[in-house]
Amino acid sequence: MPEMHFRVRWPDDSVSDCYSPSLVVKEHLEAGRRYPLAEFVERSATALNIGSERVRQKYGFACSSAMDQLRRIEETAARFDGAADPQVLVESFIP
């Protein structure tokens, strides 16, 4: 199963490299595009849950790394609660 990493820039200009167990993330996020924070979290959650489910279908267990990544995204996003119009930039996909 091809995994993928994607680099995001948060509203405070910090950068994170994120993990997906599947290329499905490219169906939900676009490199070079800015997303409102809540939309980024929602799209990431959708992609990571689909990727985890694909792992379950193939190997019989969910992808804990995808769920850990989602937790880290949600925790980082929570730092910007109350910020005016927080945006997340998907900088690139890293094969």
Side-chain angles (χ1 to χ4, degrees):
M1 180 158 270
E3 61 184 29
M4 164 138 314
H5 290 84
F6 55 105
R7 181 167 292 149
V8 300
R9 184 169 298 274
W10 295 96
D12 64 356
D13 273 340
S14 63
V15 175
S16 297
D17 286 341
C18 302
Y19 169 82
S20 172
S22 167
L23 301 179
V24 71
V25 70
K26 290 178 98 174
E27 295 174 18
H28 297 275
L29 297 172
E30 182 180 334
R33 183 170 170 194
R34 289 190 181 277
Y35 294 90
L37 181 65
E39 182 180 349
F40 171 75
V41 172
E42 181 181 317
R43 286 172 172 270
S44 296
T46 298
L48 291 168
N49 280 305
I50 291 170
S52 181
E53 187 55 34
R54 287 181 179 178
V55 170
R56 180 189 312 278
Q57 290 171 358
K58 186 169 184 173
Y59 298 107
F61 52 86
C63 179
S64 61
S65 294
M67 296 301 91
D68 289 344
Q69 180 61 69
L70 178 55
R71 180 185 45 77
R72 286 191 300 276
I73 287 172
E74 291 170 339
E75 287 172 354
T76 303
R79 296 190 340 227
F80 305 104
D81 282 347
D85 192 32
Q87 302 275 314
V88 177
L89 171 64
V90 177
E91 289 191 341
S92 60
F93 292 108
I94 307 161

